[in-house]
DNA sequence: TTATTCCGTGAAAGCGGTTTCGCGGGTAGT
DNA sequence: ACTACCCGCGAAACCGCTTTCACGGAATAA
């Protein structure tokens, strides 16, 4: 079937008794059009039910009104509700400014990968990166003039706008809490250590140890990948190599839950014999048995901050990096 | 900064020594172009790094290559991992066919609402609906010739292509299982009864009762809204009005978890004193304590089936509705 | 050999907007 | 009254493709 026929500028112009250029000026907020003519245009739009064709506008203006939100991972990340929540924060801010979100969940890869190709295609007016294993693509796109925001502190000292959560502070207070609860041997299950967030959380854990006058052995530091399964795998290994382990800080809630599953199945009660803290404060943290002590980050605010930084750039305004605080939420598991 | 300058057909045509129409014919798979000329075009594309401008192509052809995936809800649905998983199934199938997904999570509302406006705007070549409280918009769009697929059985007998899970059979076997475990008084917490899925799950529950020669009292049938909080609220009420309750079938895993939280906090052990079954088999079902007995639906396959039905329509092929089976997964809670 | 048909290809119109440049009328200054 | 400047507005070029129509050469049939 033929697509629905909808009025164009030509019809609006004829109805209002003006030119198409005037219609364009009025609908795009040009204040120089005589108020009486402008009102005639608005009346015609109302009467005829006109809607702008965004495809034609994008071709003519060179701007699509789309902002890419890039998650350097695969679609299984959506089993972690963090991503839906943070994305909703970004989308709300962009939508308030007449922009739309294009969500890209794929490995960012090299300069000739799928994500790079898409971002260079001119289809988006800017890009917000959520997970980064390397700054190579980001630096390349910045040189080409694409407005960018990244979440997480950049690897290099490039002048890239970013928002972040206080990873170091959150991990530090989680580890301090475990120690204050009497834990003598505390392990960490990190995220992918290629990301700055995982590094900063590890640094917070190490700083808490330095301040208590101890240093954890290398086998207490496990590199996970934020997945439930990696939490389980490392918990298993920790029990084998450290039977006297009495505390674990996992760098996200999913890995914390994986660890708890293993400990409980091994007959080690949580928090009776071993205490566990996570990071994020996802719903899974609240509903688990035992409910999870965790470092809460304001995920909606993180998304909104990223969106606001993008809007500021597109409007040619000044901006500063934004670091959001964390809060340790004490529940049953520690 | 000015957008990156990229070669257009004019440049490709000049380099290959052909017209722009020929370039368009070659790149769109027209077999009538002389093979030598066609090869010269492909060589020029390779040499110059040409990428099609999809905005210009959409304007010229009247097709955008975008398919809307509509979830009649708000963004909090992403706290339920069902949605990320089912969407990934759809996206994979569309991408294999050169199409892209536009995800819309918003109340569908009336014919003059935001979703309706967008779908009538000509920006998408088709739409897949995931939750529907009413067929009004779908029937309207079908009349206008927009290719459609819905998940869930349509309310009316309209000739709308759909995919579904066997809701009736899943609920029936869940309720039968509770009865076979000795449960004498089984409640149900439904989803929004305006959706056909929730109705069918209720019907399955009622059929299992009919076959056992009993009928549940009306106060054992609670209408939830698939949220964790509604599961808790109805569980609280059920305990008050039915102290001898010994079984609950919840129409999704989140409500089941909400119910378990309330029962455990009230000192009723699961499954010792009261057995609980959910629906979906989300990760939350596996990680909870106790782990959740649930009706597993193949959510990826549901998404892929919806995508395949859309592709068939766009290609003008015949198609049948697709009903996917369920499987009762026995864990600790029942 | 001549006439007719077919087909590959190029020129250009069009898709629906944005934006530029020039024109004419009005206003201000001398 | 005349001159210079300003500004609102319209005509039309342009954005980068797709597709239509017409042309010329080749092939086929009479």
């Amino acid at each position: 079937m033929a697509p629905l026929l909808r009025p164009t500028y030509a019809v609006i112009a004829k109805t209002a008794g003006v030119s198409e250029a005037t219609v364009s000026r009025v609908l795009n907020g040009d204040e120089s059009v005589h108020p009486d003519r402008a009102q005639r245009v608005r009346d015609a739009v109302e009467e005829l039910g006109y809607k702008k064709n965004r495809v034609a506008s994008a071709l003519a203006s060179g701007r699509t009104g789309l902002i890419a939100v890039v998650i350097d991972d695969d679609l299984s990340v959506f089993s972690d509700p963090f991503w839906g929540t943070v994305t909703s924060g970004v989308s709300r801010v962009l939508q308030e400014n007449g922009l739309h979100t294009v969500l890209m969940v794929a490995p960012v890869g090299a300069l000739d990968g799928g994500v790079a190709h898409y971002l260079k295609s001119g289809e988006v007016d800017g890009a917000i990166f959520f997970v980064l294993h390397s700054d190579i693509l980001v630096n390349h796109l910045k040189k080409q003039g694409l407005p960018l925001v990244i979440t997480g502190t950049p690897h290099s000292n490039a002048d890239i706008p970013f928002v972040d959560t206080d990873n170091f502070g959150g991990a530090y207070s989680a580890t301090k809490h475990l120690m204050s609860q009497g834990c003598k041997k505390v392990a960490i299950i990190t995220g992918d250590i290629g990301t700055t967030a995982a590094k900063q959380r590890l640094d917070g854990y190490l700083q808490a140890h330095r301040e208590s006058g101890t240093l954890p052995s290398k086998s207490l530091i496990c590199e996970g990948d934020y997945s439930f399964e990696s939490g389980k795998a490392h918990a298993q290994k920790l029990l084998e190599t450290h039977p006297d382990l009495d505390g674990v800080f996992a760098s996200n809630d999913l890995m914390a839950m994986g660890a708890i599953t293993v400990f409980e199945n091994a007959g080690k009660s949580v928090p009776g014999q071993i205490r566990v803290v996570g990071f994020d404060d996802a719903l899974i943290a609240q509903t688990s048995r035992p409910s999870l002590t965790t470092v809460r980050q304001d995920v909606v605010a993180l998304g909104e901050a990223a969106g606001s930084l993008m809007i500021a750039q597109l409007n040619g305004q000044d901006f500063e990096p934004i670091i959001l605080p964390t809060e340790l939420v004490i529940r049953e598991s520690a």
Side-chain angles (χ1 to χ4, degrees), chain A residues 101-123:
Chain A
T101 304
V102 173
L103 185 62
M104 300 189 71
V105 183
V108 165
L111 289 184
D112 59 354
V115 172
H117 273 302
Y118 182 76
L119 294 181
K120 287 191 276 190
S121 71
E123 285 193 33

Side-chain angles (χ1 to χ4, degrees), chain A residues 60 79 102 110 155 183 207 290-291:
Chain A
S79 62
V102 173
H155 290 273
C183 294
Q207 180 61 17
S291 56

